[in-house]
Amino acid sequence: MRGRHGDAFSTYKRISLKEYVDSYREENADRFVNGTGKDIGHPSWRRSFPHVLVAALSSFLFGYHLGIVNETLDSISLDLGFNGNAIAEGLVVSTCLGGAFVGSLLSGWVTDGVGRRRAFQLCALPMIVGAAISGATNDLWGMLLGRLFVGTGMGLGPAVAALYVAEVSPTYVRGTFGSLTQLATCLGILASLLIGIPSKDITNWWRVCFWLSSFPAASLAILMEFCAESPHWLFKMGRSAEAEAEFEKLLGALYVKSAMADLSKGDRGDVADTVKLTELLHGRYCRMVFIGAILFALQQLSGINAIFYFSSSVFRSAGVPSDIANICVGMANLSGSFFAMVLMDKLGRRLLLLGSFMAMAFSMSIQAIAASPLITGPPSVYMSVGSILLIVFTFALGAGPVPGLLLSETFPSRIRAKAMAICMSMHWVVNFFVGLLFLDLLERIGPMILYTVFAAFCMVAVAFVQRNVLETKGKSLQEIEIALLPQE
């Protein structure tokens, strides 16, 4: 039964998004020109870029801690006395995921409570403490405690970054700046892999790898003191004068009045109310949150993490050492993220998301064929290697960066932080179960069927995006909010 809200995001609009935005701009044409009647154009992206760059440090740290145990786990297990204990080694990874789930779930309440800047600093604090504990520990329990702290910061960071970047970026480069966080994540992963290479040859090098991460974390905490607070959050808290000052810092004095008028019209005075969890789970916003959570679930069910887990053994079959293999995968990830950053505000979010999932389905199919009895020997290995790189590249092109950016744009200001928290928590839950079940399923049903299942999920994602996701390129957050806002 469709109900009064119909189908997902697309049915929250009373008119089409494009029709609404055109009429909105016609009605408010005086705000797009100055007193002389001349077009004032776009605000300079250079004003907000330094603030986005500092925020991207949280994404760099996220990627770094995600990849740091990849190269160092063998050395850690030897030095801490749990070498060969698969459960202990799994706990080093899964404890971090557990902390990330908690941090992600709490992120909405933290960011709404203390603001975006302070939330970044709270994200950096457990990363500094956790890295120090992990680097100094002499037993497994100390390592697990450190990873739990780090994981909490990892869960908090992506949600805050997605919110902050969407709220401080000029409309015409919001997609580009949003993709910058994905690029920073890839750089973090690549940095951890490169820094971790000497761990096999240098005693206690893994400790240095953890300690080094304290420097970007401390930089994030310190530099955030000099960054702008989100004007959207300030306005929501009733601090309009401060919101104006931050808009001047981010956009320039010429654009402050129009930006404040946008906020006033978009929020309609209802954002000061505290949003209740029941509204998100079975209230007027329930369907929007459900669509966002499914989008993150499909992102993980596409099989991307299984590819990361399995890539080293595939490359090893081709005679490529694991460190070189990891760097190749990291470069494919980085390249895709770079192209996403360039194309996000040109092609749009929806097209990149559709193309990404389609290309991943095709690449997963190649991987399944390579694992079948139809192809054996070197051709099978080369097909596997090529498809792995293509899967990683196409994931980074759309399925990786778009969901976080898209949801931070489409959720109304009143629920944005808490709804993002719930949706990103789904990411960590599905991520955990994919990691937990992948090797068991691989053994039970074999790689050909498993990769076919992943390809099928990618096609489900294509149909889901086609039906439920609207384009947000070139629209202000307030224009999107008013067009998609559910009726009371």
Side-chain angles (χ1 to χ4, degrees):
M1 182 175 178
R2 289 167 61 106
R4 65 174 180 154
H5 295 321
D7 296 321
F9 293 155
S10 59
T11 59
Y12 286 122
K13 55 186 175 59
R14 269 80 77 185
I15 57 175
S16 76
L17 187 56
K18 184 179 185 304
E19 289 172 346
Y20 170 77
V21 170
D22 289 343
S23 64
Y24 177 83
R25 285 176 172 166
E26 287 172 9
E27 292 169 8
N28 299 276
D30 60 303
R31 287 165 40 206
F32 294 91
V33 296
N34 59 20
T36 63
K38 295 180 180 178
D39 190 343
I40 60 175
H42 295 301
S44 173
W45 59 267
R46 292 179 178 84
R47 283 181 170 270
S48 54
F49 182 68
H51 307 270
V52 172
L53 206 58
V54 173
L57 279 173
S58 68
S59 299
F60 176 87
L61 285 161
F62 173 80
Y64 185 90
H65 284 291
L66 205 61
I68 193 60
V69 296
N70 196 311
E71 284 292 330
T72 60
L73 187 56
D74 289 342
S75 301
I76 292 170
S77 60
L78 278 170
D79 288 351
L80 300 186
F82 58 90
N83 186 41
N85 186 335
I87 294 177
E89 291 179 357
L91 280 172
V92 172
V93 177
S94 59
T95 301
C96 192
L97 296 180
F101 171 74
V102 173
S104 181
L105 196 59
L106 296 176
S107 63
W109 284 262
V110 171
T111 51
D112 272 349
V114 301
R116 311 323 190 211
R117 284 197 314 149
R118 292 289 177 257
F120 274 119
Q121 293 171 325
L122 288 175
C123 156
L125 182 60
M127 287 190 171
I128 295 171
V129 173
I133 293 173
S134 295
T137 188
N138 290 312
D139 56 44
L140 173 62
W141 296 108
M143 176 58 66
L144 295 181
L145 180 62
R147 294 294 285 168
L148 184 64
F149 271 103
V150 165
T152 305
M154 285 174 63
L156 185 58
V160 182
L163 289 169
Y164 184 78
V165 172
E167 292 175 347
V168 304
S169 302
T171 298
Y172 73 104
V173 291
R174 193 173 61 237
T176 301
F177 283 1
S179 301
L180 185 63
T181 59
Q182 173 72 9
L183 189 69
T185 300
C186 297
L187 286 171
I189 294 172
L190 201 56
S192 70
L193 295 175
L194 291 172
I195 291 171
I197 289 175
S199 64
K200 295 176 182 177
D201 303 315
I202 302 176
T203 305
N204 286 327
W205 180 257
W206 60 268
R207 298 182 187 275
V208 176
C209 295
F210 282 110
W211 288 331
L212 283 175
S213 67
S214 298
F215 291 101
S219 299
L220 173 64
I222 294 168
L223 292 174
M224 263 298 151
E225 279 296 317
F226 306 98
C227 288
E229 179 56 270
S230 164
H232 293 251
W233 180 78
L234 290 169
F235 185 82
K236 180 178 176 177
M237 295 295 106
R239 295 155 63 176
S240 299
E242 293 174 64
E244 287 186 25
E246 299 296 31
F247 267 134
E248 184 171 356
K249 188 187 298 184
L250 292 165
L251 304 177
L254 194 60
Y255 302 88
V256 171
K257 291 182 70 174
S258 62
M260 289 300 296
D262 268 345
L263 275 185
S264 300
K265 186 162 187 174
D267 289 331
R268 296 180 178 179
D270 67 350
V271 294
D273 303 328
T274 301
V275 63
K276 297 177 182 178
L277 189 61
T278 53
E279 289 184 76
L280 303 180
L281 298 181
H282 52 79
R284 64 191 287 233
Y285 300 110
C286 171
R287 201 170 183 87
M288 297 183 82
V289 175
F290 175 77
I291 295 300
I294 294 298
L295 196 57
F296 270 112
L298 288 171
Q299 179 197 59
Q300 294 304 303
L301 290 172
S302 68
I304 185 63
N305 282 320
I307 289 296
F308 282 128
Y309 299 149
F310 198 50
S311 61
S312 294
S313 61
V314 172
F315 276 88
R316 201 158 40 244
S317 302
V320 180
S322 63
D323 52 351
I324 302 298
N326 288 331
I327 291 172
C328 289
V329 171
M331 289 303 297
N333 202 4
L334 186 65
S335 301
S337 299
F338 175 78
F339 280 105
M341 187 174 68
V342 172
L343 297 173
M344 193 69 73
D345 283 312
K346 291 182 170 63
L347 299 182
R349 289 65 152 151
R350 189 171 184 270
L351 185 59
L352 280 180
L353 200 55
L354 286 170
S356 175
F357 277 124
M358 284 181 184
M360 287 184 72
F362 172 74
S363 306
M364 283 290 182
S365 301
I366 295 176
Q367 185 78 342
I369 293 170
S372 73
L374 299 174
I375 301 176
T376 58
S380 172
V381 173
Y382 297 144
M383 283 179 67
S384 290
V385 169
S387 63
I388 282 174
L389 294 177
L390 188 58
I391 290 166
V392 172
F393 176 82
T394 53
F395 174 83
L397 198 58
V402 170
L405 170 65
L406 188 69
L407 297 184
S408 65
E409 293 176 323
T410 52
F411 284 140
S413 177
R414 180 169 181 257
I415 68 164
R416 188 174 295 143
K418 294 180 177 68
M420 284 289 292
I422 292 173
C423 293
M424 285 196 165
S425 298
M426 176 62 73
H427 164 278
W428 290 109
V429 171
V430 180
N431 188 345
F432 173 78
F433 281 106
V434 169
L436 181 69
L437 300 175
F438 173 69
L439 291 177
D440 185 53
L441 288 173
L442 189 65
E443 185 178 330
R444 288 174 182 270
I445 65 177
M448 183 180 73
I449 296 177
L450 188 55
Y451 286 118
T452 302
V453 170
F454 287 142
F457 272 119
C458 289
M459 290 311 298
V460 169
V462 170
F464 182 84
V465 172
Q466 184 74 37
R467 180 178 175 81
N468 297 300
V469 173
L470 294 177
E471 183 54 70
T472 57
K473 179 188 72 171
K475 315 297 190 296
S476 77
L477 297 181
Q478 286 67 46
E479 290 167 352
I480 297 166
E481 177 175 341
I482 295 173
L484 301 183
L485 190 67
Q487 297 182 21
E488 295 285 357

